[in-house]
Every structure is written in C-alpha cells, then in structure tokens.
Amino acid sequence: MAAAEVSHKDLETGPPTGSEKHTNGVGSKVKAHRTKDAQHGDKDLLQNVFIGAIDAGTTSSRFLILDGAGTPVAQHQIELDQSYPRPGWHEHDPQQLIDSVRECMEKATADFTSKGHDVSDIRAIGITNQRETTLVWDTETGEPLHPAIAWPDTRTQALVRELKEREGADELRELCGLPLSTYPSAVKLVWLLRNVDAVREAYEAGRLSFGTVDTWLLYHLNGGLEEKSNVTDATNASRTMFMNLHTLEYDDKLLDFFNLDRNKLRLPKIVPSSSPDAFGKVSEGSLRGVRITGCLGDQSAAMVGQKAFTPGSAKNTYGTGCFLLYNVGEEPVISKHGLLATVAYHFGRDKKPVYALEGSIAVAGSGVKFLMNNLGFVEQSHEITDLAATVEDNGGCVFVTAFSGLFAPYWIDDAKGTIFGITQHTTQGHIARATLEATCFQTKAILDAMAKDSGQPLAELAVDGGMSASDLCMQTQADIINIPVVRPAMRETTSLGAAFAAGFAVGIWKEFHELESINQKGRTVFEPDISEKKSAKMFKKWSKAVEMCRGWSDEDEDDASDQE
C-alpha cells in the first residue's frame, strides 16, 4: 500500500531537457518534452506559510516541511528494517515505525530552523502512510503484541482460501469494495487471533487495540496512554474490509463475517481525511503543540498531490508496489473487472467523500531491490536503468514478479515470481529490462480493466514515485499503454497530498482550484513511440506468461497456521 516507497534518490536519472527524441544508453529511446511554466498565484505569501508532512512508507520514514507553494524546504529520511522471518512473511518493528518518524521530525525541524525559520511558522502537520499494514497492541499498556504485518505479506493464503468458502463471501465486495485476498488488514487480524496467544488473550479480555500505521502513529504522537488517541481516516479504514464504503462506518455484517465482536476489539474512530481537531497535536519534541490536521493513506495522498480532483483523472505511483487510482466521483463504483473500490479522499465539512477505482501491483520498486539485494546485479537502485539500457529489448525474457502473488486485476494468490524465455543469449540487461516492463505491463492490464468499468479510456497518465524517475521505464510505460505519461518535476506528491489535506483544515486553501499552479513547472511528458500493433504483441506475450505462472504456490507450503 505503499507511498513513493523507493528512496527519492533511487532510479534517479533526471528528466530530459529537450523536446526531441534522445538516447539514454543503448536501445533506450526516450520521446519526451518539458512543459512550459504555469501561471502562479501569490507565491510570496504562500512561501511564508509552512506545513509538515509525515510520510510513513514501507521502506522508509520521512518528514518534509513544505511551503504553501508546495516546495520542500527541509526534510529527513530514515530507512526501515525489513523482516522476512519465513517465505512470504513481511514484518516491521512497531517501535521503529514511531521512533523513526520522531527522529525525522526532529532532524528536519532542526534543518528548517537553521535556515532562519521559526517552528511557529509551521501551521499544521499531515500524515500519509503505508496502508493495510496491521498492528495490534494492548489497550491498557500500549505495548505492541506482535510485529506489524506489512501489506505485501502472504502468510494468510490458506486462510483466504478458507474464507472464500464461507457463506456470504460473495457479498463482501459490494459492501467494502475489496475482494478477499492476502492484501487487506482484516485477514491479517484474523490470522493473528488464531495464531498468537497474546493477541487472542487480549481480545478475549476486551483490551485488544487494532489499527493501521496511521492509527499507531497518531496514538504515540498524541501522547500514547496519556491521551489514548484512537482514530483513523476514511481512506485507511477503507483498506481494512471492516468499513462500509457507502456509510463510511464499520459494518456489523463485515465484522460478523470475520467472526469479530466489536465489544472485544478497540477499533479506531473513522473521521474525514482533513480535520482541524480530529487528529490531535504533537505531544513532545521540537514540534510540541503543532496540530495534526490531515491524514491520508499513501496512494490517496499521491492522488491528492497529483490534483486528480475531477472524475476521470488518474495517477500511478511507482513505489515498493505500484498503485493506480482513477477518480470516479462521489459515488463508489464496484468493479466487475478485478479492481478495488476505495475512498480516494474525504475533506469533510460540507464536502462529500470522493471515491476511486484502484489497481494494486504488489511488486514495482521492490523488484528492482530484488535484483540489487538478492542477485547482486547493481549496487544502487538507479543503476538498473543503465543496466536495462545496455540491450535493445528484453531479448524474449518476461519476468512475472509475483513475489506476493498477483494483485489487480488478476488476483492470483498461488502465483510465484517466474522468469520465462531465458536462453544462452539472456544477460543481466535483459532481466533488468524485463523487471521494469513487468510493472508497465501490469499497469496496462489495470488501465484496460478501468476502461471497462468506467466506460471511458484514460487520455493521459500522471505518474510519481521512485521508479518514475527512470526515463526508460516511463517511456516504456507510454509505449505499452499508448497514451502520454506525465511526470511532475517535484515527485514528492505523496507528502504534498498530506500537506494539502492538512492545509485545507487550517484554511491555507479553501478550494481545489487554488492548487492548480502548484508543481506544474517543468513537467515531463513521455509520448508513445511504438505502434499499437507492436505494443499489443508485447502485451500478448506478457498475458501468456501470467497464465503460465498460476499454481506455483503449494497449498501445504502456504499453510502458515501453526502456532508461533
């Protein structure tokens, strides 16, 4: 669920500087142009207004301080430890999640004040976070009862198969917009209740607190046990399978399906994503007393940061995973073609919630990390682009990066990562290129599904996240989907979206049109540069590879229901 999860330095190749086709290495033609400067409003005034943004991602925690014109003026980032105790398991240390955020806040604030600014200039703070990652803690002590189960974790595969056979399983999507899979928080919580004694005992005693990363951070930033903050926003709640998309409240039918008693489980209160008082304020440190007024799941934050406020607009974030959100307006659209229905954002007061169709890809930047960390192809993530550019094409190599099965629109839980087409001709460059293409092909599949659900194809695709820095990857994306790909110059759109949510709550902005000029200068537009026939041929081979990767996961192997 993840923000621009690859570090902002990862895959950094820099945007092209001209409007003509050029070559960034062998065989990597890029056809792109830079947009002209947009008209700006009263920048002098906005540049003296500052907002903090906590970006709690899958691979790192960050804190940025942005001015009212959307320009980062100070930031600090800390990489997070990733724990993989068993195949398919992915965990985080709950204490590191909050400690890293606090350290980032302190160091970025020190940088901010060293530049002559004052802490009192920071009007508010927004939070954006990895979604679906599940935390449980003791309500009475505040102590975590298990490591956080991260969103890509697949230990629940056997449980999902069981739940799909339960009466009422077919009715869930109409209520919550999500299919039964290893992805949502609900199945992670059920697994914890079945397999971890401390979690089950706390539940039976009525002292089990459950939340996603936003709730955990807000609990601690507000003072922990002293204040007992227990809140989430609608975008994060919509990823749990507990919230009714239509009412934005917890639904007894959903809770009953998972055999959960809300009297035994402390669920966070669901509030709008932008609120002057619902999220509390920082209780300690340099920013003590500063209000937290915005909260958005990372992909919703990126959508807001890309200003996709009108129905029919869309964005794609290339982070640890890849997440494409399509604005469908003020009524949810339940997908018939393998997509998720989710809350895009809810800015409260007199504004209605806005919904999106979402296509989620489990592996994007993490595929690059795999080539770097596991196979030793390169030493730095950004070098993958150079390696991929050493060859003209993939050499017949197709890499289905199904490390966590395949998400939208396929939902193949029993797939595993599989490389097809290897010959003696295959080099590291071919595999590197196939890794980048895997994300682009899955994006194409999602866009096709969105066109079927919405009845209208997309005209252009706004992009952000670490992998979007690669000219080769973005040109490949434009070629495969046959529409322009638009990349902003400042790609911290997830943090920017959190800042927008916080700023609206304290009156820095009142209407969406006031944001039109922000982050418009120097955008790069990648134009398709191959024929539709060639693109269709490439996608046909990818689709064949997807079908061939089914069934690699053995049921006995995936049954992780033994007691810890």
Side-chain angles (χ1 to χ4, degrees):
M1 214 285 37
E5 304 297 2
V6 181
S7 165
H8 65 287
K9 295 181 181 179
D10 290 348
L11 296 167
E12 190 70 48
T13 59
T17 57
S19 60
E20 296 183 358
K21 189 186 304 181
H22 66 281
T23 300
N24 180 23
V26 177
S28 58
K29 293 178 180 178
V30 178
K31 188 176 183 180
H33 63 271
R34 296 283 296 277
T35 60
K36 295 180 180 179
D37 294 5
Q39 296 295 316
H40 290 262
D42 191 349
K43 288 188 66 176
D44 291 339
L45 176 62
L46 291 174
Q47 285 173 344
N48 292 309
V49 174
F50 300 94
I51 307 169
I54 295 168
D55 187 346
T58 306
T59 60
S60 69
S61 296
R62 282 189 288 169
F63 185 68
L64 287 80
I65 301 173
L66 304 98
D67 65 22
T71 304
V73 295
Q75 62 180 297
H76 191 77
Q77 177 173 340
I78 295 174
E79 297 296 314
L80 294 174
D81 296 333
Q82 308 294 320
S83 176
Y84 307 98
R86 298 187 191 180
W89 291 30
H90 187 174
E91 297 179 345
H92 286 147
D93 177 356
Q95 193 60 47
Q96 187 188 36
L97 292 178
I98 181 61
D99 288 347
S100 60
V101 165
R102 283 174 169 155
E103 184 177 346
C104 287
M105 292 171 70
E106 290 300 311
K107 291 189 175 179
T109 303
D111 182 28
F112 179 71
T113 55
S114 73
K115 295 175 179 177
H117 303 294
D118 193 272
V119 172
S120 62
D121 296 331
I122 301 174
R123 293 275 301 277
I125 293 172
I127 290 178
T128 181
N129 57 280
Q130 54 169 310
R131 305 169 303 170
E132 295 92 20
T133 294
T134 302
L135 294 108
V136 286
W137 61 98
D138 189 309
T139 303
E140 295 180 0
T141 67
E143 292 299 313
L145 298 172
H146 190 271
I149 299 182
W151 60 269
D153 188 288
T154 59
R155 74 185 67 184
T156 56
Q157 284 182 343
L159 174 59
V160 168
R161 286 193 291 269
E162 174 193 324
L163 292 173
K164 284 181 177 179
E165 299 300 319
R166 185 174 290 180
E167 184 179 354
D170 294 339
E171 302 171 17
L172 300 182
R173 191 191 290 254
E174 292 294 325
L175 292 174
C176 67
L178 307 179
L180 276 169
S181 74
T182 60
Y183 190 27
S185 308
V187 292
K188 295 175 172 65
L189 176 60
V190 173
W191 186 93
L192 286 165
L193 286 166
R194 288 190 181 188
N195 293 280
V196 182
D197 290 342
V199 176
R200 185 167 56 255
E201 290 167 5
Y203 173 77
E204 294 298 341
R207 52 183 173 81
L208 179 65
S209 287
F210 154 84
T212 43
V213 171
D214 57 315
T215 301
W216 177 249
L217 295 180
L218 287 163
Y219 172 76
H220 284 279
L221 291 173
N222 275 279
L225 277 175
E226 185 175 336
E227 293 294 329
K228 294 186 177 179
S229 168
N230 190 40
V231 66
T232 188
D233 92 298
T235 69
N236 280 294
S238 71
R239 314 304 295 188
T240 62
M241 290 195 83
F242 296 145
M243 189 193 81
N244 186 309
L245 267 188
H246 308 273
T247 65
L248 303 192
E249 296 178 353
Y250 295 116
D251 192 291
D252 285 333
K253 187 172 183 178
L254 293 169
L255 292 167
D256 289 346
F257 177 84
F258 293 104
N259 294 330
L260 294 170
D261 183 346
R262 70 162 73 210
N263 294 317
K264 296 181 178 180
L265 181 65
R266 188 170 184 250
L267 294 166
K269 180 182 178 182
I270 302 171
V271 301
S273 313
S274 179
S275 170
D277 50 30
F279 303 112
K281 58 187 178 182
V282 180
S283 65
E284 61 180 58
S286 301
L287 295 173
R288 181 178 180 181
V290 179
R291 283 188 292 168
I292 303 168
T293 59
C295 181
L296 289 160
D298 51 13
Q299 303 314 317
S300 288
M303 189 172 195
V304 170
Q306 288 276 19
K307 295 166 290 182
F309 297 128
T310 57
S313 55
K315 70 88 200 175
N316 201 17
T317 297
Y318 300 76
T320 297
C322 189
F323 303 89
L324 200 161
L325 269 68
Y326 180 98
N327 186 325
V328 297
E330 295 176 352
E331 295 291 334
V333 174
I334 305 302
S335 175
K336 305 299 183 183
H337 298 93
L339 303 178
L340 310 180
T342 193
V343 178
Y345 53 87
H346 183 204
F347 277 19
R349 293 184 178 176
D350 58 341
K351 292 182 171 64
K352 294 181 179 180
V354 172
Y355 296 89
L357 283 170
E358 176 174 340
S360 305
I361 300 169
V363 176
S366 56
V368 173
K369 293 285 189 181
F370 170 78
L371 297 187
M372 180 179 71
N373 296 331
N374 295 44
L375 301 185
F377 277 23
V378 294
E379 293 185 358
Q380 299 293 329
S381 294
H382 68 269
E383 296 171 347
I384 286 294
T385 291
D386 296 332
L387 180 59
T390 62
V391 293
E392 290 282 352
D393 53 36
N394 61 28
C397 183
V398 178
F399 189 0
V400 183
T401 51
F403 301 155
S404 300
L406 284 174
F407 286 7
Y410 306 108
W411 300 109
I412 306 174
D413 289 337
D414 60 2
K416 285 197 174 180
T418 316
I419 304 178
F420 297 95
I422 294 179
T423 69
Q424 288 184 321
H425 170 70
T426 304
T427 67
Q428 289 184 333
H430 294 120
I431 295 175
R433 200 172 188 108
T435 303
L436 297 180
E437 289 175 351
T439 301
C440 300
F441 283 129
Q442 289 176 82
T443 297
K444 158 74 170 170
I446 289 168
L447 283 175
D448 287 350
M450 285 185 173
K452 292 174 184 176
D453 277 327
S454 66
Q456 185 171 349
L458 197 66
E460 67 177 26
L461 180 63
V463 299
D464 53 66
M467 283 180 70
S468 73
S470 167
D471 288 356
L472 173 59
C473 187
M474 293 301 97
Q475 184 62 55
T476 300
Q477 186 67 87
D479 290 343
I480 288 173
I481 62 179
N482 286 120
I483 59 173
V485 168
V486 182
R487 181 180 68 192
M490 198 283 285
R491 293 185 287 279
E492 306 292 356
T493 53
T494 309
S495 298
L496 187 60
F500 286 162
F504 268 89
V506 296
I508 295 174
W509 305 284
K510 293 181 174 61
E511 301 295 337
F512 290 140
H513 68 78
E514 298 173 46
L515 308 174
E516 289 176 357
S517 65
I518 293 178
N519 202 22
Q520 289 294 100
K521 180 180 177 180
R523 297 186 306 158
T524 306
V525 181
F526 296 86
E527 301 284 353
D529 196 34
I530 65 173
S531 68
E532 290 188 24
K533 183 178 180 180
K534 183 176 180 180
S535 175
K537 184 177 180 181
M538 293 169 64
F539 187 66
K540 183 178 180 181
K541 179 173 281 190
W542 161 264
S543 299
K544 181 180 179 181
V546 168
E547 290 305 310
M548 292 172 67
C549 82
R550 290 178 182 271
W552 279 98
S553 182
D554 183 84
E555 290 191 16
D556 294 333
E557 174 187 340
D558 293 326
D559 189 353
S561 61
D562 294 334
Q563 292 281 337
E564 289 192 323

